[in-house]
Amino acid sequence: MPAKPIDLGPLHFAKRGDAVACLNDMLHRYDVGDRVGANDTVILRAALEHHPDAEAKKGCGITHFSVRTADFGTKCFWLNRTDGTTEKFSHRACIYGT
């Protein structure tokens, strides 16, 4: 299967696996409870546009992203909406659409 390129904001990846690796690295730069920085927010907003449930995830709008705990003691990205609600999302689903 040929490599599928993907753009995430200003970043271009020749292979989707490279995009996942970049997002994994980003996730692990943050501790649980941290708010994601402005430069990384640009990348996450672009990644979220590729999520199969992007509109539902975004809801009424996003104020910022954070890193919080997820299932089985892991951590993941969470989006924080303008109405005060939060939602976790899989960065892998953003890249692979599943």
Side-chain angles (χ1 to χ4, degrees):
M1 175 186 261
K4 293 184 179 181
I6 189 168
D7 292 323
L8 300 179
L11 302 179
H12 174 77
F13 299 95
K15 300 182 300 188
R16 291 179 185 261
D18 293 341
V20 169
C22 176
L23 293 173
N24 282 338
D25 289 345
M26 180 190 298
L27 177 64
H28 293 293
R29 284 197 309 265
Y30 292 97
D31 292 324
V32 171
D34 285 350
R35 183 175 177 149
V36 173
N39 291 337
D40 290 339
T41 291
V42 171
I43 307 305
L44 287 181
R45 282 186 184 273
L48 189 59
E49 291 300 321
H50 296 280
H51 195 285
D53 298 321
E55 292 308 311
K57 293 285 183 187
K58 290 187 285 186
C60 60
I62 301 169
T63 60
H64 64 280
F65 293 93
S66 58
V67 173
R68 293 178 31 200
T69 57
D71 301 328
F72 309 110
T74 61
K75 62 182 180 178
C76 71
F77 292 113
W78 287 71
L79 56 88
N80 300 269
R81 297 188 189 106
T82 56
D83 66 358
T85 60
T86 61
E87 175 107 14
K88 66 182 174 179
F89 69 98
S90 165
H91 62 275
R92 291 183 61 82
C94 293
I95 304 305
Y96 293 118
T98 57

